[in-house]
Amino acid sequence: MKPFRYSFSAFCRLAVLLTVLVSVSPATALSFPARGVVNHASVNLRRSPGSGAERIGKLSSGDRVTVTGTEEDGSGAAWYAVSCSKGSGYILGEYLSVADEERIQAASASGEAVMMNVSVNAVCANYHGLGKTWSRLFEINGLPLPEKGLAVTLAPDVPFTLFSSLKSQSGKARAAGVLDSVYTPGAEEIVRGFSVVQTLTAVNKNGKEAVWTVTFSFVPAGAFPLP
């Protein structure tokens, strides 16, 4: 797991009084500079880390930035230091997906690298009164995975990271859950395709839980989808 994820998850629990389930798994630290993609509809770029800092400008979902490091504000909230066309400043960690460049480059450098199409499907069997409207964020190697899918380069025995975040949008019943995991595909999986399943529990402040099954499917480019 990226160390920055731990810091941000702790902030979420304090900020919205939610119990969040986080899986602990080994991973390398982020290296900088790195690519960053805004994952929220409207995000403030600020002069310094902190919600009260001077606003330099606004960024929108899908906007790309260069990430140069991380920093915490006085409350312990994690921020990314970035540069972009709007200038240099800070973006709250929750609103930015940051590429794990070391893992991406390791797969690309492998002599057995394969381009694969990845898609994701999240299913909740019982919402337990937490509502059916949820915001979703999925990432592979730190980059956002859109609903239409994404093409990525993977290689046998080269680990990659998967991240899921689900947050209920239902008024007082708000709940949230995040899950970060590492998977290492084998040679046969790279050739034939494979799936990785995460079980994510979203919890609200009253202890109500909704369990999500998140399935990431990987298919070699040009091959038929898995049955």
Side-chain angles (χ1 to χ4, degrees), residues 114-117 189-194 218-224 226:
V114 172
M115 182 67 71
M116 306 193 80
N117 295 320
E189 290 178 307
I190 292 294
V191 172
R192 296 188 178 183
F194 61 99
F218 298 82
V219 180
F224 291 106
L226 294 171

Side-chain angles (χ1 to χ4, degrees), residues 43-152:
V43 174
N44 289 317
L45 177 66
R46 297 190 181 275
R47 183 76 64 187
S48 59
S51 58
E54 178 188 354
R55 189 176 69 189
I56 300 172
K58 279 186 173 291
L59 297 173
S60 301
S61 179
D63 284 350
R64 298 179 181 275
V65 301
T66 298
V67 184
T68 57
T70 64
E71 194 169 332
E72 290 189 352
D73 64 20
S75 70
W79 294 71
Y80 283 115
V82 306
S83 60
C84 62
S85 60
K86 301 287 180 68
S88 296
Y90 292 83
I91 294 177
L92 185 61
E94 178 180 2
Y95 301 140
L96 196 67
S97 298
V98 181
D100 190 332
E101 301 288 2
E102 290 187 1
R103 293 188 186 277
I104 293 171
Q105 292 170 11
S108 299
S110 171
E112 300 176 274
V114 172
M115 182 67 71
M116 306 193 80
N117 295 320
V118 54
S119 58
V120 62
N121 182 44
V123 177
C124 184
N126 192 328
Y127 296 97
H128 289 142
L130 297 177
K132 296 184 178 181
T133 303
W134 295 67
S135 63
R136 310 177 183 206
L137 173 63
F138 307 106
E139 297 175 351
I140 177 169
N141 278 336
L143 290 176
L145 175 58
E147 294 290 335
K148 62 182 179 181
L150 183 71
V152 298

